[in-house]
Amino acid sequence: MTAQEVRLCGLLLQEHFGDVVEKVGTHLLRNGAQHLRAIVQETGTPMDLVKKSLCVLIQHGACAFSSGRKGPGSPVEYQASFERILRILRYPRYIYTAKTLYGDTGELIIEELLQRGHMTMSSTVKTVADRLTLNMEEGHSMEYSEVSNTFSKLVETHFLQRCPPVEVAGKAVSATPDPATTPGAPANNTTPSTPESFADCYKVPHVTLIGRGKRRNSSEDGEDQRNAKRAKEDPETHGDEGIYWQVNFERFHLHFRDQAIISAVANKLDQMEFVGKSGDSGGGMYVVNLHRALANLARATLESVVQERFGSRSARIFRLLLRKRHLEQKQVEDFAMIPAKEAKDMLYTLLSENLVQLQEIPKTPDHAPSRTFYLYTVNQLPTARMLLQNCFKTVANLIERRLFETKESKRLLEKSQRIEAILASLQASGAEPEQLTEVEEMITPPEKQQLESLRHHINKLDSAENQVDETIFLLESYIKSTATATR
Amino acid sequence: SGDGVTKKISLDWIKELCQQFPQGITDQVIQNDMPHLEPQQRAMAINKLLSLGQLDLLRNSAGLLYRMKDTQTASKMKGSDNQEKLVYQIIEDAGNKGIWSREIRFKSNLPLTEINKILKNLESKKLIKAVKSVAASKKKVYMLYNLQPDRSVTGGAWYSDQDFESEFVEVLNQQCFKFLQSKAEAARDSKQSPMVQRNSSFATSHEVWKYICELGISKVDLSMDDIETILNTLIYDGKVEMTVIAAKEGTVGSVDGQMKLYRGVNAIIQPTGLVKVPCGLCPVFDDCHEGGEISPSNCIYMAEWLDF
């Protein structure tokens, strides 16, 4: 794990789960699989807090547990998943995609499941129905069945999947046989089975869910409080107890990948109608084409970076090297038609930024410089890896800046929140307009300006995170596909 | 004696043939022209001319070539010693690409001082000349006096007095692109089926070449190869794509049964997310970390960008 990766995960964990979870999670990322006692000792965190943190991480699929490596009887070990934690960055894109495909209902279902990690179908449906009802006109409410429908559709199209049943002392709890794990799996089986190795992964359970969303009259108390209260109050059962659902990230990624490829091809064909994808070539052939598509997208990404950072002539040199693989300096000048002095400058700059590499080919055994070929070259895969790390660092930078901006204006934000609260309660108790105005004016115009500016900054930083995540997605997809392509 | 006259006539005849074909003649050519001459007599005549130093003996892929020796050169070289002759030969062998003095030294194993003296001598006799090479402005290559320097030395169409004409290249680059762009637009506006549109947005290198020639923006004659070099830079700019198709021999613009087709294209992605934020373009990216002198919290680029 690189330092940048750990830093970014730490920031994401802290924002979403708080300091304690961040401490435990970061510790696991840095130190690999560990058992409970080790975590307690090394982080200096009380046992019960560590347990709670682990629960949160496991609930969200960010941490897995398995039997100890030292044989049966050794304590269970916990391991954090860097990749899963990084996905937090992509939540907005998953939610937005669900919205485009399945409307507001789909959006809220995905949002709820991302927030909670695992949920049963029935509780998801009820929560979402309530939320939708809140936004509807007075007297209208959302039918549970409508939400259930959308939920089923999300399962049918594999955007949602069942959480794999938990293995208790090496034996699966669910009744369905497990073909993926090795037969006679002992307690020591540490190979993680994927959710899709379970036959019922995409089977919608039979639930009895009749009713409509309920409108709550409480004010803006924390949503968590409300949900927690309701969860405790709700004694109903609907026939799907113990069947938990999670968002299937890989399915969303397939969708994003297809989108990227289609839009790239559409750009190439000048927005003309492009009918379908690359056909139904089966099995192996399809995989190769996909790898090439992803490689092209990654290459375009690298070219884009060089172009924006160093200008179009450096980009020309870069593209030239990508196509011709190895070139001497003179050849670069000639093909790119750039004067020798400038071409040399650009090449050295790209070299110093490690975007271009120099390969020495000696003509004679003594490796004398005057009798050596010096060839410039671009290695796409290592360069993509390097840029990916840069993306991680960039996102971490953006998050830190956002936290800093919020901290700087902390006093002002708190003041603004207090005034909002006062206004709300005054309005509720039917105050005079003059009183309201008096309270509003407690925020001075310059302070209003500052708040507005802060909001603008936060939004910009937020959307910037999403934009960089798009780059991360393309580069990661490409890097992953090379691993399978070379097999 | 008749034999002697025949010999003299043969010698003159062969010399005239050589003058008629300055690039050299083969034994077959002599035989065809003088069928009455016995092979043995032919051989003797050729050897006589060679020993007199009036003919040069060369070899090419077809076989042996006999070439008229430049008598002017021959007379000028009369006073030269073997060293001078050697240097001259080396320079002659380099053809119109020329050779620079250090290489002459490697090839002849003569000391540099000696070579420089010889070169000066040959130059004053107007047997060789020095040409500045575009490859290195300080480098001079030597070649025979009457030769037209090769393009690689003078730089060809893109160089004017050893200076690379960047502006000219840039203008050509833009004009070619405009041509291809308007062709693509015309194809789009024709509103035909997508594949027809795509195909009609292609232009052959010949078409582009013709367009540029008709524009008359170039002082020098540009070949189709020159235009293809320019079109290649557009490919490296990511603005143009090329395909090759088979063409019937004799089709206008085809070379070796192939034609190159070019077409303006859009980038396949928008500028990537990373470069839309300051960090993606930051020159001190590697020096930045929280708590350091340069950090996200105090970054001036971020501040500027946020207030934009």
Side-chain angles (χ1 to χ4, degrees), chain A residues 7 263-264 267-270 272-273 296-297 300-301 304-305 308-309 312 315-316 319-320 323-324 330 335-339 387 390-391 393-394 397-398 400-401 404-405 453 456-457 460-461 464 467-468 471, chain B residues 135 158 164 166 169-170 173 188 194 197-198 229-230 233 235-238 241 263 266-277 279-282 285-286 288 290 296-299 302-303 305-308:
Chain A
R7 175 183 172 220
S263 90
N267 273 334
K268 262 201 121 165
L269 292 179
D270 298 323
M272 290 187 269
E273 321 252 349
N296 280 337
L297 286 167
T301 305
S304 170
V305 171
E308 300 301 317
R309 270 187 83 180
S312 39
R316 189 190 285 178
R319 286 193 195 92
L320 170 61
R323 272 174 180 71
K324 302 273 191 186
K330 180 83 176 57
F335 281 121
M337 303 196 84
I338 293 175
L387 272 179
N390 286 358
C391 286
K393 181 169 178 177
T394 302
N397 286 350
L398 291 168
E400 292 209 9
R401 181 65 185 225
F404 169 75
E405 297 259 329
S453 160
H456 174 71
H457 288 189
K460 199 158 189 178
L461 287 163
Q467 285 174 323
V468 182
T471 308
Chain B
W158 316 123
F164 181 70
S166 327
V169 167
E170 189 57 37
N173 178 293
R188 260 199 304 275
Q197 274 186 44
R198 183 175 175 274
T229 319
I230 300 278
T233 63
I235 295 177
Y236 309 136
D237 283 338
E241 67 172 7
R263 177 178 168 262
N266 298 326
I268 66 167
I269 59 165
Q270 306 293 329
T272 192
L274 177 61
V275 299
K276 292 185 188 160
V277 313
C279 305
L281 309 172
C282 179
F285 181 74
D286 290 328
C288 168
E290 199 53 39
S297 315
N298 65 21
C299 174
M302 281 252 204
W305 171 70
L306 286 173
D307 282 330
F308 186 67

Side-chain angles (χ1 to χ4, degrees), chain B:
Chain B
S1 67
D3 229 9
V5 173
T6 317
K7 266 203 215 152
K8 178 98 188 14
I9 292 175
S10 315
L11 292 181
D12 286 337
W13 202 311
I14 294 178
K15 280 207 287 195
E16 269 196 38
L17 258 182
C18 280
Q19 271 168 346
Q20 204 183 343
F21 298 102
Q23 70 273 24
I25 54 175
T26 61
D27 190 62
Q28 187 66 45
V29 170
I30 302 174
Q31 192 183 347
N32 290 344
D33 207 60
M34 303 167 73
H36 56 278
L37 202 58
E38 299 284 327
Q40 207 183 4
Q41 291 171 307
R42 200 166 62 239
M44 266 171 50
I46 291 173
N47 280 330
K48 182 79 181 178
L49 287 170
L50 281 171
S51 63
L52 284 176
Q54 292 181 349
L55 268 196
D56 263 331
L57 177 61
L58 303 154
R59 182 190 278 279
N60 71 359
S61 50
L64 294 173
L65 263 186
Y66 307 102
R67 194 173 68 187
M68 201 73 214
K69 209 184 248 225
D70 187 0
T71 44
Q72 237 192 351
T73 314
S75 65
K76 281 186 185 172
M77 290 289 278
K78 234 190 183 135
S80 319
D81 55 15
N82 283 334
Q83 283 185 338
E84 235 182 61
K85 282 200 182 125
L86 178 60
V87 171
Y88 181 82
Q89 188 69 51
I90 294 173
I91 295 177
E92 191 179 21
D93 286 340
N96 67 351
K97 292 229 166 71
I99 181 170
W100 64 313
S101 50
R102 197 181 284 184
E103 275 205 59
I104 299 178
R105 185 166 34 135
F106 281 147
K107 287 206 164 150
S108 67
N109 275 324
L110 293 169
L112 197 55
T113 45
E114 193 58 41
I115 288 183
N116 285 336
K117 208 169 50 164
I118 294 173
L119 287 174
K120 240 200 192 151
N121 209 3
L122 290 171
E123 265 184 293
S124 63
K125 285 193 199 166
K126 293 211 171 160
L127 287 169
I128 64 173
K129 63 183 175 188
V131 178
K132 260 207 288 182
S133 166
V134 290
S137 54
K138 302 203 180 72
K139 211 158 116 172
K140 276 191 297 189
V141 294
Y142 293 93
M143 62 182 72
L144 294 185
Y145 194 74
N146 292 323
L147 285 181
Q148 185 75 262
D150 183 74
R151 254 186 172 202
S152 61
V153 177
T154 61
W158 316 123
Y159 286 82
S160 159
D161 298 326
Q162 317 297 314
D163 284 323
F164 181 70
E165 297 265 2
S166 327
E167 266 180 49
F168 177 50
V169 167
E170 189 57 37
V171 166
L172 283 176
N173 178 293
Q174 286 170 3
Q175 287 300 324
C176 288
F177 183 54
K178 258 200 226 159
F179 175 74
L180 290 173
Q181 255 188 327
S182 53
K183 195 143 199 245
E185 257 184 61
R188 260 199 304 275
D189 292 339
S190 74
K191 296 268 182 256
Q192 296 185 302
S193 80
M195 284 323 279
V196 173
Q197 274 186 44
R198 183 175 175 274
N199 290 339
S200 56
S201 56
F202 278 106
T204 65
S205 41
H206 188 260
E207 275 178 66
V208 183
W209 171 75
K210 213 165 122 196
Y211 171 75
I212 294 292
C213 289
E214 281 164 15
L215 269 187
I217 50 178
S218 173
K219 301 171 274 164
V220 301
D221 281 334
L222 293 171
S223 68
M224 201 167 89
D225 267 350
D226 290 329
I227 296 298
E228 283 182 5
T229 319
I230 300 278
L231 288 168
N232 283 342
T233 63
L234 283 168
I235 295 177
Y236 309 136
D237 283 338
K239 291 184 177 153
V240 157
E241 67 172 7
M242 176 190 82
T243 42
V244 180
I245 58 168
K248 214 162 67 160
E249 274 304 321
T251 315
V252 165
S254 71
V255 176
D256 294 333
Q258 284 182 338
M259 280 208 297
K260 296 199 178 109
L261 299 173
Y262 298 83
R263 177 178 168 262
V265 290
N266 298 326
I268 66 167
I269 59 165
Q270 306 293 329
T272 192
L274 177 61
V275 299
K276 292 185 188 160
V277 313
C279 305
L281 309 172
C282 179
V284 289
F285 181 74
D286 290 328
D287 301 322
C288 168
H289 53 267
E290 199 53 39
E293 252 188 81
I294 303 173
S295 73
S297 315
N298 65 21
C299 174
I300 53 175
Y301 299 131
M302 281 252 204
E304 257 178 56
W305 171 70
L306 286 173
D307 282 330
F308 186 67

